[in-house]
Amino acid sequence: MNWITNYVRPTITSLFARREVPDNLWTKCDECGTMLFHRELADNQNVCTNCGHHMAITPRERFNALFDGGVFTEVSVPEPIEDPLKFRDQKKYTDRMKAAQKKTGEKEAMLVAEGEIFCTPIVAAAQDFSFMGGSMSMYVGNAIIAAAERAVALGRPLVLYSAAGGARMQEGILSLMQMPRTTIAVDMLKEAGLPYIVVLTHPTTGGVTASYAMLGDVHIAEPNALICFAGPRVIEQTIREKLPEGFQRAEYLLDHGMLDRVTPRTKQKEELATIIRLMMGMEPAVIAELPEPDSEAIALPETPAPQPEAEK
């Protein structure tokens, strides 16, 4: 009985028992419902391989795919005063900040970095929508100014990825003041003759759209991204009319002259390198870098020794 109890029964149970699968191995596409394996999804930059739906992506994940070899250096950003208005709604503003920092692992809603894309040096800034809706705060304003100053100091173009729900209400008028501050930062780039390229991602709304997100020399958007000042639901309730299909989406804005390009996330690196090098007067980028040839592997054919005429 001990042999049957200790060996046979556990073996049979293990063969027919239901095995638990970790929840984080598969992600369901919000658009088409396809179950996507997490590694396949990450390799495709969080873009559905079935329908092309662009899912949310963090600034670090974006920079890992954007910069050559995923190598970049963070640019330091001056930290503003913490909770200057002592704001409190259902929670304290400081508690909301701590929760967002714990959830995302980031200090704030914008990350600034410098590196190269196809050997083209740039400075890049990206907003994180998962950090309090990517809301524009004093730190975000400082980050854009720091990115512009770094770009001017190095003589590099600035690429900015926008993703925000607008200004941060917990900072009140101090948040709204980032609109003129960031506008001046963009003017610094224009005075230095450096390109400022904006990539608008889903969603880009509110005061962000009314300031630095629409001041670029070139505007590129991701497919089906919502880009607006006031959202469609607010407009419908105000004018009491049904809006056109796809209103305020990237493709609609492209057709009406608000954007220059709508480019999938997986092709943005090549397009950015091409545009930047064209605007900077540089040679076209080498998209595929080949390794140096191995001298030992490549052997030239030996020249046969000349034979005497008698032997011929």
Side-chain angles (χ1 to χ4, degrees), residues 96-294:
R96 291 192 181 277
M97 285 290 295
K98 291 177 182 177
Q101 290 170 350
K102 183 179 180 181
K103 173 185 175 183
T104 62
E106 298 292 345
K107 184 184 299 183
E108 251 282 358
M110 179 163 280
L111 182 66
V112 183
E114 59 182 76
E116 295 184 347
I117 55 173
F118 292 124
C119 300
T120 308
I122 68 164
V123 175
Q127 284 182 274
D128 188 356
F129 190 76
S130 60
F131 193 105
M132 297 186 69
S135 50
M136 180 176 59
S137 62
M138 291 189 294
Y139 184 95
V140 170
N142 289 349
I144 297 174
I145 293 173
E149 291 176 342
R150 186 63 176 170
V152 171
L154 298 177
R156 298 183 178 185
L158 174 60
V159 178
L160 187 141
Y161 291 86
S162 64
R168 187 170 297 175
M169 59 172 288
Q170 288 86 353
E171 294 185 9
I173 190 64
L174 298 175
S175 174
L176 295 176
M177 287 304 297
Q178 306 315 306
M179 297 171 66
R181 291 184 74 216
T182 54
T183 302
I184 294 173
V186 174
D187 286 340
M188 292 169 48
L189 293 166
K190 297 184 182 299
E191 291 175 2
L194 296 171
Y196 172 52
I197 301 174
V198 181
V199 182
L200 300 107
T201 69
H202 178 78
T204 299
T205 62
V208 173
T209 310
S211 55
Y212 57 86
M214 297 304 293
L215 294 176
D217 299 308
V218 178
H219 293 95
I220 303 172
E222 292 185 344
N224 203 38
L226 177 65
I227 304 166
C228 60
F229 181 74
R233 179 174 54 84
V234 175
I235 296 176
E236 284 187 347
Q237 292 176 352
T238 302
I239 66 176
R240 301 182 186 280
E241 289 185 12
K242 185 67 177 176
L243 298 175
E245 185 69 23
F247 183 69
Q248 294 180 322
R249 295 289 174 169
E251 292 77 8
Y252 185 91
L253 297 181
L254 178 65
D255 293 338
H256 289 77
M258 294 292 291
L259 300 174
D260 298 300
R261 299 280 289 174
V262 174
T263 306
R265 188 179 296 162
T266 53
K267 297 181 180 179
Q268 288 175 10
K269 180 176 180 178
E270 291 84 352
E271 185 156 300
L272 285 172
T274 301
I275 293 173
I276 290 171
R277 296 181 79 91
L278 181 64
M279 297 179 70
M280 296 288 288
M282 304 169 66
E283 294 293 329
V286 179
I287 302 299
E289 295 183 359
L290 299 177
E292 295 182 1
D294 188 356

Side-chain angles (χ1 to χ4, degrees), residues 32 34 36 47-53:
C32 65
T34 303
L36 304 168
V47 178
C48 178
T49 55
N50 183 53
C51 67
H53 174 62

Side-chain angles (χ1 to χ4, degrees), residues 59-116:
R60 289 192 183 276
E61 293 172 336
R62 191 182 292 277
F63 285 169
N64 286 333
L66 176 68
F67 290 109
D68 294 341
V71 178
F72 59 89
T73 304
E74 290 188 43
V75 176
S76 60
V77 177
E79 295 190 17
I81 300 174
E82 182 181 355
D83 194 10
L85 303 181
K86 306 299 179 185
F87 192 93
R88 180 189 180 102
D89 47 283
Q90 294 179 346
K91 291 182 181 180
K92 291 182 180 180
Y93 179 36
T94 53
D95 294 339
R96 291 192 181 277
M97 285 290 295
K98 291 177 182 177
Q101 290 170 350
K102 183 179 180 181
K103 173 185 175 183
T104 62
E106 298 292 345
K107 184 184 299 183
E108 251 282 358
M110 179 163 280
L111 182 66
V112 183
E114 59 182 76
E116 295 184 347

